[in-house]
Amino acid sequence: MTAPSPALKPTAGALFKERLRLLRPDRIVGGLVAHLVLIAGALFVLLPFVWMLLTSVRKPDEVFTAGFNPIPDSFHGVENYGHALNQSPLLQFMGNGVIVCAGILVVQLLVALPAAYALAKLEFRIRPLLFVLVLLGLTVPPQVTALPLYMGLASLDLLDTYFAIMVPFFLSVFAIFLFRQFFKTFPMEIIHAARLDGFTELEILIRILVPSALPAIAAFSVFSITSHWNDLYWPLVVTTSPEHATPPLGMMIFRDQETGSNYGALMAGAAIITAPLVITFLIAQRQFVRGITMTGVK
Amino acid sequence: MAALEIDTVSKSFGGSAVLKAVSLDVRDGEFLTLVGSSGCGKSTILRVIAGLEPQDAGAVRIGGRPVDHLRPKQRNVAMVFQSYALYPHMSVKDNIAMPLIMQRLRLAERLPLVGRLSPRRAKVMAEIDGEVGAVARQLHIEQLLARKPAQLSGGQRQRVALGRAMVRRPDVFLMDEPLSNLDAKLRVHMRTELTDLHRRLGVTFVYVTHDQVEAMTMSDRVALMDEGRIVQLGTPADLYHDPLDLRVARFIGSPGVNVLPGTVTGAGVEVGGAQLPLPVAAAEGAAVQVGLRPETLSLDPPAGRPVLKIRLSATENLGAEVFLHGRADGAGDSPIIIRAPLDAFDRARAAGRLDGTVTVAVDPARAFVFDADGRRVGRRPVEAAVVRMPVPAE
Ligand SMILES: Nc1ncnc2c1ncn2[C@@H]1O[C@H](COP(=O)(O)OP(=O)(O)O)[C@@H](O)[C@H]1O
Ligand SMILES: [Mg+2]
């Protein structure tokens, strides 16, 4: 955070030596190998994604023929994307996705930030016990609670609503844990200063801790939005109509009803519903990486 | 403005006692320093006074009123923290204004948008702006008001922290090692600035430091702490010339006090062959520890005074004075330092009295005798006015 003192600044001579060192043959080879490995890894991870984009601009008959020709013979993108957008309420699915993801994220933050503050910085007797419970909560897979939740929602007549899609995720133990780890590192003296100045505990959280935790909040938001935007399992359990369907569920309904085996249009639809995530991540990228490294998660 | 009383306060953290029945009366308007090595509980006392940490036992009174049931902001104390503890995402101006905003705006008026609906908010904020400006001018930080803490130097951050404490006109000012993060030169400068500030404000200061020089030069009175207890409370001169405990004698003064093993005799104390005619409240033959400040050992001819023979190992010439390092013959070979004015050193050298060994005269009236547990025995009160206070070396 503080600027390096003048004594630590490298001189021009030292900088030059450093550059020379980087130009040594063994260094160059080492760098090349490292980058080749990284590129290969990136290709491997990106291949399905790239294939999706390529398929989304192919003609239907070209999708299954001619082996693995990566470059489409003719550009069929306009038809495929037009088909995807016209033949299915894709925009409505995405709107549902936005509502569900935003609703989940907002409640998650409203619950997790105060809980994390209490677990990190407030003194009370059962705090260690509560923290252990949070850690235990991390180990419970969502499938375990699916049945009781479903029955509860059914008896309240709440199936097939936005609320039903969102409710299991309102309380994120992962978020509590992540923010608690971050708040733990926040200097106690600043919180003491705020208490002396007359801040209420909630004001300390909102006016002092949250602005400092923005990178961690951004990182968690990316996790949360991605997983709930892409979630198929729970919406499939509680939703039956397309009205409340989130994008992946919508895609499934769309495939069954309309397109059958028009994979070009299907991939175009997939590309459209993935786009918001990619854009969100690109925007939040720097904060995200900082948040991950700062909280010491991973 | 108010006096501060700490009445047998105890505090432990998870079984380890950090404060052990600490009592301390700070007078109205006094500059009192708590000094002690790191971990002795100084910060904990400040946090108890401020109400940030509840004590396990005992009471705190400010201006004669018990404050134990009051929350930190209701006690009207301000604190400058060691790390300055500025709010990282607020400008300097907001940092200084925060205590006033919290004091004068109601909770609803502090809300982001709803607050603006309150008719009196604008007026209060304008008042606060004026007071923040006045404090900033006093501290010469007007030009920094728009900056964030990260854009400030250590010294500037410290001024902002002072401003945030001053702006609320507290009854008691608590300072936790406020100078320890500054470079040496600025630290010396800020010592005088803080004492000036204390004089101007006329408020009770409780100042915490582990640096005995700060304690000696800034305070009206000093309380020396060790392991959660106050070992001695007194003026800087008291602690220097009349330490009641070996720990005090060792902690205060630089270079440190010389400690030599001695024995109680019928006529006083024998140390390294020298007979010190001191009344000592200990049985004859008992082993004692004798403390001799480096400047009380004289290189001039003894003229009948008791002497110690010292083998010299090094001399440090500091210009106006000279430190001679050596070991005391016959006194357990203890390491010893003599602090001599340059003229005395020159005289001794010219007279050929510095040939690898030297004989120094001891002033019995200025020797401290401690028993085996480090408690002072054979105390001879020294008139502070008679003895000159040497300026502590850096
Ligand atoms: N909140 C706390 N929890 C547990 N131990 C603490 C806490 N605060 C202080 N201590 C312990 O109390 C002792 C005194 O601390 P402190 O008052 O900060 O010392 P000082 O300020 O004199 O260096 C230390 O050993 C420290 O580890
Ligand atoms: Mg401390």
Side-chain angles (χ1 to χ4, degrees):
Chain A
M1 280 287 158
T2 52
S5 71
L8 291 176
K9 245 184 218 157
T11 60
L15 269 182
F16 182 68
K17 268 194 203 137
E18 176 66 18
R19 294 226 176 98
L20 272 189
R21 207 168 57 82
L22 289 176
L23 282 178
R24 275 184 0 219
D26 53 330
R27 287 245 140 204
I28 294 180
V29 172
L32 270 180
V33 170
H35 277 90
L36 281 178
V37 170
L38 286 176
I39 288 170
L43 277 181
F44 187 73
V45 172
L46 280 177
L47 194 63
F49 192 75
V50 172
W51 206 255
M52 174 187 80
L53 288 178
L54 289 174
T55 310
S56 75
V57 298
R58 279 184 220 276
K59 273 205 172 104
D61 53 350
E62 204 193 309
V63 171
F64 288 108
T65 56
F68 277 133
N69 177 16
I71 310 300
D73 293 336
S74 61
F75 184 77
H76 202 63
V78 178
E79 293 84 341
N80 281 345
Y81 280 87
H83 191 81
L85 283 171
N86 290 330
Q87 296 300 304
S88 72
L90 252 197
L91 290 180
Q92 190 198 332
F93 297 152
M94 286 167 64
N96 290 341
V98 170
I99 291 171
V100 166
C101 287
I104 291 175
L105 182 61
V106 167
V107 180
Q108 279 177 334
L109 293 178
L110 285 180
V111 174
L113 287 168
Y117 175 57
L119 286 175
K121 293 292 187 191
L122 300 185
E123 302 277 344
F124 52 98
R125 195 164 297 226
I126 59 165
R127 185 176 77 170
L129 175 69
L130 287 184
F131 185 59
V132 168
L133 288 180
V134 168
L135 289 181
L136 281 180
L138 278 173
T139 66
V140 178
Q143 288 80 359
V144 170
T145 53
L147 190 60
L149 268 172
Y150 179 86
M151 285 167 34
L153 288 168
S155 68
L156 292 173
D157 210 11
L158 283 170
L159 288 179
D160 209 6
T161 58
Y162 288 133
F163 180 78
I165 304 179
M166 297 189 287
V167 70
F169 310 105
F170 280 162
L171 211 161
S172 167
V173 242
F174 175 65
I176 295 175
F177 177 71
L178 184 87
F179 296 141
R180 185 252 183 201
Q181 295 308 92
F182 175 78
F183 290 161
K184 225 35 212 163
T185 65
F186 194 85
M188 203 57 209
E189 288 203 335
I190 298 183
I191 292 173
H192 279 158
R195 285 186 188 148
L196 261 178
D197 282 351
F199 285 63
T200 61
E201 294 302 309
L202 215 53
E203 281 175 308
I204 292 177
L205 175 64
I206 295 167
R207 299 181 84 137
I208 295 172
L209 284 169
V210 165
S212 301
L214 280 184
I217 293 174
F220 172 73
S221 302
V222 170
F223 278 130
S224 168
I225 293 172
T226 319
S227 64
H228 297 115
W229 184 271
N230 289 335
D231 186 25
L232 178 62
Y233 170 73
W234 184 251
L236 183 62
V237 171
V238 291
T239 323
T240 43
S241 67
E243 258 149 83
H244 298 109
T246 51
L249 182 61
M251 282 293 293
M252 223 176 81
I253 299 171
F254 169 49
R255 190 195 63 192
D256 291 349
Q257 292 175 346
E258 314 283 340
T259 51
S261 56
N262 185 349
Y263 281 90
L266 209 57
M267 288 302 122
I272 292 172
I273 67 165
T274 332
L277 285 188
V278 175
I279 292 166
T280 314
F281 182 75
L282 287 181
I283 291 171
Q285 188 187 23
R286 279 184 52 206
Q287 298 264 356
F288 179 74
V289 172
R290 209 146 64 86
I292 301 269
T293 45
M294 237 163 45
T295 49
V297 172
K298 295 234 155 123
Chain B
M1 267 190 272
L4 167 72
E5 290 159 73
I6 298 166
D7 188 358
T8 51
V9 163
S10 297
K11 174 79 188 170
S12 25
F13 289 110
S16 71
V18 172
L19 298 181
K20 299 162 189 162
V22 172
S23 291
L24 184 64
D25 283 357
V26 188
R27 297 170 194 145
D28 186 4
E30 183 176 31
F31 193 126
L32 184 130
T33 299
L34 287 170
V35 67
S37 47
S38 166
C40 70
K42 307 180 297 289
S43 301
T44 306
I45 289 200
L46 290 193
R47 289 200 298 269
V48 167
I49 297 172
L52 295 166
E53 199 93 72
Q55 68 269 33
D56 300 337
V60 178
R61 285 181 287 273
I62 297 176
R65 285 184 314 135
V67 294
D68 304 301
H69 58 289
L70 296 180
R71 301 206 291 146
K73 67 164 177 180
Q74 298 167 315
R75 298 188 179 193
N76 204 21
V77 303
M79 187 152 166
V80 175
F81 293 86
Q82 187 170 7
S83 65
Y84 312 140
L86 301 179
Y87 307 129
H89 294 271
M90 296 183 196
S91 65
V92 166
K93 184 175 157 207
D94 288 346
N95 262 284
I96 300 178
M98 261 321 142
L100 297 183
I101 291 178
M102 292 295 154
Q103 227 168 40
R104 298 184 192 167
L105 290 182
R106 286 186 280 267
L107 188 59
E109 291 169 333
R110 308 203 290 254
L111 294 176
L113 292 169
V114 186
R116 299 192 183 271
L117 298 176
S118 161
R120 60 183 276 277
R121 188 176 188 277
K123 192 171 140 269
V124 175
M125 288 305 286
E127 264 170 39
I128 291 176
D129 273 6
E131 287 171 53
V132 170
V135 166
R137 267 191 302 285
Q138 274 191 56
L139 294 169
H140 311 291
I141 50 173
E142 310 100 295
Q143 74 287 2
L144 305 177
L145 284 175
R147 293 214 203 153
K148 292 275 168 64
Q151 299 164 303
L152 302 177
S153 71
Q156 292 169 333
R157 277 178 215 185
Q158 215 241 352
R159 282 164 193 273
V160 177
L162 278 176
R164 184 173 66 181
M166 279 161 62
V167 76
R168 48 194 295 202
R169 300 167 197 279
D171 289 333
V172 178
F173 232 93
L174 307 175
M175 300 203 170
D176 195 355
E177 312 208 13
L179 305 186
S180 63
N181 287 326
L182 302 181
D183 60 59
K185 206 170 147 215
L186 189 55
R187 193 153 56 211
V188 173
H189 169 74
M190 283 308 291
R191 290 211 294 256
T192 42
E193 235 180 80
L194 284 182
T195 43
D196 281 353
L197 182 73
H198 171 250
R199 234 195 348 266
R200 276 209 313 274
L201 299 177
V203 179
T204 311
F205 268 43
V206 180
Y207 183 96
V208 158
T209 180
H210 65 264
D211 182 346
Q212 56 99 14
V213 180
E214 284 175 24
M216 296 296 278
T217 51
M218 299 171 73
S219 334
D220 296 325
R221 286 193 302 162
V222 178
L224 190 135
M225 283 188 70
D226 188 54
E227 293 184 345
R229 287 201 176 88
I230 291 179
V231 183
Q232 188 173 350
L233 169 66
T235 63
D238 284 343
L239 266 65
Y240 191 86
H241 295 294
D242 195 13
L244 300 183
D245 195 289
L246 182 55
R247 287 170 290 177
V248 178
R250 281 192 196 276
F251 198 91
I252 305 288
S254 169
V257 69
N258 298 302
V259 181
L260 309 178
T263 319
V264 178
T265 62
V269 175
E270 187 272 334
V271 56
Q275 292 291 337
L276 309 183
L278 282 173
V280 171
E284 207 172 318
V288 289
Q289 309 177 74
V290 179
L292 298 166
R293 294 264 179 224
E295 69 276 8
T296 65
L297 301 173
S298 165
L299 294 182
D300 288 328
R305 282 183 291 172
V307 294
L308 285 174
K309 267 201 155 34
I310 291 163
R311 271 177 294 111
L312 293 177
S313 56
T315 14
E316 278 181 280
N317 194 327
L318 273 73
E321 52 186 11
V322 182
F323 294 170
L324 297 104
H325 298 257
R327 283 178 183 276
D329 260 351
D333 220 24
S334 315
I336 203 158
I337 300 179
I338 306 155
R339 180 179 188 169
L342 189 65
D343 52 350
F345 176 74
D346 284 342
R347 277 196 303 275
R349 198 166 45 182
R353 272 183 278 125
L354 294 176
D355 54 349
T357 63
V358 65
T359 304
V360 293
V362 179
D363 180 357
R366 295 168 76 185
F368 317 131
V369 182
F370 304 97
D371 66 14
D373 298 329
R375 268 189 304 272
R376 181 87 173 269
V377 286
R379 186 170 165 209
R380 166 164 295 182
V382 180
E383 301 264 334
V386 176
V387 184
R388 249 182 333 109
M389 263 280 294
V391 179
E394 282 299 313

